[in-house]
Amino acid sequence: MNQIGELLGIALGAILVNNFILSQFLGICPFMGVSKKVETALGMGMAVIFVMGVASAVNYPINKFLLMPNDLGFMQTVTYILVIASLVQFVEMFLQKAVPSLYEALGVYLPLITTNCAVLGVVLQNTQKDYNFIFSVTYGVTGGIGFLLAIVLFASIRERMEFAVTPKSFEGFPIALVAASLLSLAFMGFSGLKIW
Amino acid sequence: MTQTVIMAAVVLGVLGIVFGAILAFASKVFAVEKDPREEEIGGILPGANCGACGYPGCSGYAAAVVKGIAAPNLCSVGGASLTEQIAAIMGVEAVTGPKIVAEVLCSGHGCNKTRYEYEGLRDCRAQVKVSAGHLQCTYGCLGGGTCVDVCQFNAIHVVDGVAVVDPETCVACNQCVVVCPRDLIHLVPLKTKKHVAVNCHSEAKGAEVRKACDDGCIGCGICVKVCPKEGAIVMENNLAKINYDLCIGCGICAQNCPRKTITIDGVVPEPKPKKEAPAAAAAKTGEVNATASTDADAEAGRLTNPSEKLEKAKAAGDRPLSDGERLAPSSQALDTPAEMLQKKAERPAQKKITDPK
């Protein structure tokens, strides 16, 4: 029971309190780049959930059984990047064969996940916080859900902002950055949230 | 220490090899089968990715051809020879059309007549935003060279303040057509032996055109009258337009144009020789009376029968009249339609000149 509570805590933390984008400021580039339309934002979020979850699952045994016994903790970053890049490649090939429609929909965003620092962030934090396998995967998946939540919220705001009258110098990207910071401020309100 | 370094290299190397092997295996297992013809066509396409065919890049076009959606003759860059190659790969018959080139509908003879000095970014898109360009003619080529910048084939250049297309190198990729803020560049087929072109895009009234340009189209309609092929040249919004589906390239319109707006193969022709004149125009005269009734004609009709007027004009030499020139003192009532229009345009507008359609 205690463990389930802890899992809930991790999930809530990853989605709301320590949201990867809005509180930890990781993965900002896809957040700004793919948030023009809710539809694409949704697709990107789904892909990130998948990659984050699988990356957490794959990196845990590599760290546990390969790096730690050989005293190679300093190699974590390099190894994780290698794993994530291969993983994304693999997912891309798999999707192209198995679900071509999803592959077409995600388009260029799928390979872009390779450079999404939120994915690297989640696996590095897994080792930092010394999570076990279950906790790592939970943190990865819920971190992805947090990413999805943030990017879909932001995309909805941006779709509305298209119609707003903005000063000339603020049109487009600048006003989007301001909106992102306000959204981030709003998420700061969750920082007091605790399950117990 | 050395052991750690070696271990690090070994671990990372092994991981790399393992992942590489998995990916190589996966690429075999999950390989999506592609039509080999697609690669073959992709290989012979020019690779310019200009988008003239209407597909996203050369690979997109290759895929569309293989799927049977696109015809093999859409790549204007490769031209007829490429069409034959693609058709051979696809096993269909090649249908090649005439060579198509871009054409700038401006002679540039109004480029010295400016309303203000423009000192800014050398880009037509910027220039046209400053009170519709610095030229008096609000239709003419600004000579900013934006089309030159977008041309990937070095086929368009700014010569004496006006963009000029080199028909030899132009591949009709449509880039300049899209970018020109004046909408001056058009794609035209070179299907007749001699290519006839109206070098003007001005829809302004005759008087304005005359002020702004040495040889802009004033919409007199003479070309429409002398054209032996009905509908091959038409007047639209004070501007002569050639319908290349019908044009036979005879060049009679160019010879008769009083403003020297129409060119044959880019050259203003000599005025029509006398002996050819009656033959070409006489065949047309009856038709003219019946069909092509311009406003100028309506005015002329008040004074004299148009056919009579035309014949007399022919008798008087039938050469293009330069500005303000009269046929003869006694023939004032027998002005050509061009002169009627000019005179009318010079007067303060008493009656609105509607489109001579």
Side-chain angles (χ1 to χ4, degrees):
Chain A
M1 186 66 205
N2 194 22
Q3 202 162 30
I4 294 175
E6 214 170 314
L7 274 176
L8 267 177
I10 288 174
L12 200 64
I15 296 172
L16 295 176
V17 184
N18 287 319
N19 188 292
F20 271 91
I21 293 174
L22 297 170
S23 298
Q24 303 187 40
F25 311 121
L26 291 170
I28 298 293
C29 26
F31 179 64
M32 299 307 293
V34 200
S35 57
K36 279 215 169 128
K37 275 166 74 185
V38 173
E39 223 170 286
T40 49
L42 210 62
M44 183 72 183
M46 291 296 182
V48 169
I49 291 178
F50 181 74
V51 174
M52 272 187 167
V54 179
S56 302
V58 173
N59 276 322
Y60 178 79
I62 286 179
N63 185 48
K64 179 93 176 173
F65 301 115
L66 206 60
L67 297 186
M68 281 308 160
N70 293 314
D71 210 13
L72 291 171
F74 60 91
M75 292 274 292
Q76 277 164 358
T77 312
V78 182
T79 320
Y80 291 169
I81 289 176
L82 181 73
V83 172
I84 293 166
S86 327
L87 198 65
V88 171
Q89 278 292 315
F90 184 82
V91 169
E92 198 183 342
M93 281 182 211
F94 177 75
L95 280 185
Q96 196 175 6
K97 177 80 178 179
V99 202
S101 53
L102 184 62
Y103 175 79
E104 294 270 315
L106 287 176
V108 73
Y109 306 128
L110 198 55
L112 271 183
I113 300 174
T114 318
T115 53
N116 188 339
C117 35
V119 181
L120 183 63
V122 84
V123 287
L124 281 174
Q125 283 179 22
N126 279 338
T127 32
Q128 268 172 24
K129 294 181 179 172
D130 218 8
Y131 284 154
N132 66 23
F133 185 75
I134 308 262
F135 281 18
S136 292
V137 175
T138 309
Y139 192 55
V141 172
T142 49
I145 294 173
F147 183 93
L148 175 83
L149 178 72
I151 199 168
V152 169
L153 278 178
F154 189 53
S156 320
I157 293 173
R158 276 184 88 170
E159 275 190 358
R160 287 294 191 88
M161 264 182 347
E162 290 285 307
F163 304 106
V165 182
T166 39
K168 190 86 190 157
S169 52
F170 275 93
E171 260 175 28
F173 207 70
I175 198 74
L177 283 171
V178 173
S181 69
L182 289 176
L183 193 60
S184 171
L185 266 181
F187 264 67
M188 288 293 167
F190 288 119
S191 61
L193 199 64
K194 266 185 191 165
I195 280 199
W196 40 74
Chain B
M1 175 67 202
T2 353
Q3 206 196 345
T4 322
V5 173
I6 291 168
M7 262 324 273
V10 168
V11 166
L12 206 60
V14 168
L15 275 179
I17 289 168
V18 168
F19 284 126
I22 293 175
L23 284 183
F25 181 68
S27 72
K28 280 272 189 303
V29 173
F30 299 125
V32 175
E33 275 186 37
K34 265 190 172 180
D35 199 319
R37 291 179 300 180
E38 191 177 324
E39 249 171 61
E40 211 175 324
I41 292 175
I44 56 169
L45 285 174
N49 292 321
C50 62
C53 53
Y55 291 90
C58 291
S59 59
Y61 176 56
V65 169
V66 172
K67 274 185 198 158
I69 308 168
N73 62 351
L74 293 181
C75 183
S76 55
V77 180
S81 64
L82 183 74
T83 301
E84 276 162 25
Q85 288 178 47
I86 295 175
I89 292 172
M90 292 299 294
V92 294
E93 206 154 303
V95 184
T96 51
K99 182 176 164 63
I100 293 175
V101 295
E103 192 169 78
V104 182
L105 302 185
C106 180
S107 65
H109 287 160
C111 66
N112 295 326
K113 298 181 177 171
T114 55
R115 288 181 289 147
Y116 58 88
E117 281 292 312
Y118 178 81
E119 286 183 5
L121 201 61
R122 295 300 292 171
D123 189 308
C124 301
R125 288 167 293 191
Q127 291 181 25
V128 82
K129 289 216 163 98
V130 185
S131 74
H134 62 287
L135 296 181
Q136 266 196 9
C137 177
T138 51
Y139 297 88
C141 176
L142 294 162
T146 305
C147 46
V148 182
D149 295 339
V150 298
C151 185
Q152 298 176 29
F153 303 95
N154 197 27
I156 191 164
H157 301 277
V158 174
V159 182
D160 295 334
V162 63
V164 180
V165 177
D166 178 4
E168 294 294 314
T169 41
C170 178
V171 297
C173 70
N174 215 31
Q175 300 287 319
C176 53
V177 179
V178 173
V179 83
C180 180
R182 295 279 218 201
D183 203 13
L184 271 179
I185 312 179
H186 288 242
L187 294 184
V188 295
L190 297 182
K191 57 171 212 176
T192 47
K193 228 177 201 172
K194 286 185 285 181
H195 181 67
V196 183
V198 179
N199 285 315
C200 184
H201 193 243
S202 172
E203 293 178 356
K205 303 251 169 67
E208 283 172 51
V209 177
R210 277 161 54 81
K211 264 183 229 154
C213 185
D214 293 338
D215 56 7
C217 177
I218 52 170
C220 64
I222 289 182
C223 47
V224 178
K225 289 203 182 75
V226 298
C227 180
K229 192 105 168 127
E230 195 171 340
I233 186 162
V234 291
M235 294 302 295
E236 272 175 30
N237 302 325
N238 295 321
L239 176 65
K241 278 187 183 152
I242 296 176
N243 181 351
Y244 287 102
D245 289 339
L246 297 172
C247 179
I248 54 170
C250 65
I252 292 174
C253 52
Q255 288 167 339
N256 282 282
C257 180
R259 297 278 292 166
K260 303 184 178 15
T261 311
I262 310 177
T263 58
I264 302 174
D265 285 336
V267 184
V268 178
E270 289 297 308
K272 186 163 60 173
K274 259 184 194 173
K275 56 178 178 180
E276 276 181 29
K284 185 74 187 158
T285 311
E287 240 174 282
V288 169
N289 293 340
T291 56
S293 169
T294 63
D295 263 18
D297 272 331
E299 268 207 22
R302 189 158 42 86
L303 306 163
T304 173
N305 183 321
S307 72
E308 196 185 326
K309 180 177 62 68
L310 262 173
E311 267 159 32
K312 286 204 177 165
K314 261 179 242 118
D318 199 21
R319 66 205 154 87
L321 294 158
S322 54
D323 300 352
E325 197 181 348
R326 293 278 174 275
L327 284 170
S330 63
S331 69
Q332 270 191 336
L334 309 168
D335 284 348
T336 62
E339 286 213 312
M340 295 300 301
L341 250 177
Q342 284 177 15
K343 272 165 77 181
K344 200 171 163 189
E346 279 158 24
R347 289 197 302 268
Q350 292 161 340
K351 203 180 89 184
K352 196 169 178 271
I353 307 171
T354 49
D355 288 347
K357 266 195 285 189

